[in-house]
Amino acid sequence: MLENVTREQLYENILCKQTFLCVGLDTDLKKVPQHLIERAAKEEGFDPIFEFNKAIIDATVPYCIAYKPNLAFYEAHGVKEWIAF
């Protein structure tokens, strides 16, 4: 879920984490782990791109202050990925 963050909240997050790190979510399906691709082939409704990005976010949330998804990567996969975006 997208969250609106004020400038003050962003600044506090920078001070707290002592970083300016922003993680780009430029997900290329060719770079998604094979086990997620295989699971998507078996399970209806499973989205490997969403799950891959979620794992990245879960692993980096203590270290970064923002995430920047690249809309073009989602657009390339149609409506399903628009919804995931």
Side-chain angles (χ1 to χ4, degrees):
M1 178 167 70
L2 295 177
E3 182 179 323
N4 290 324
V5 176
T6 66
R7 183 177 301 167
E8 292 80 15
Q9 289 170 317
L10 179 60
Y11 182 69
E12 287 298 320
N13 205 10
I14 291 168
L15 292 177
C16 180
K17 293 183 180 182
Q18 299 181 348
T19 186
F20 292 98
L21 180 63
C22 176
V23 174
L25 299 173
D26 307 337
T27 308
D28 182 347
L29 195 55
K30 295 176 202 155
K31 296 181 181 176
V32 171
Q34 190 60 36
H35 74 276
L36 295 176
I37 302 298
E38 291 169 2
R39 185 171 168 192
K42 295 175 187 173
E43 285 183 40
E44 186 175 330
F46 183 82
D47 183 348
I49 293 175
F50 177 84
E51 293 298 327
F52 182 59
N53 285 339
K54 183 179 180 312
I56 290 170
I57 292 167
D58 290 347
T60 60
V61 74
Y63 312 106
C64 80
I65 59 156
Y67 296 90
K68 183 201 165 291
N70 185 333
L71 187 56
F73 285 88
Y74 295 87
E75 288 174 337
H77 296 285
V79 174
K80 180 180 175 184
E81 291 311 318
W82 268 93
I83 292 168
F85 177 75

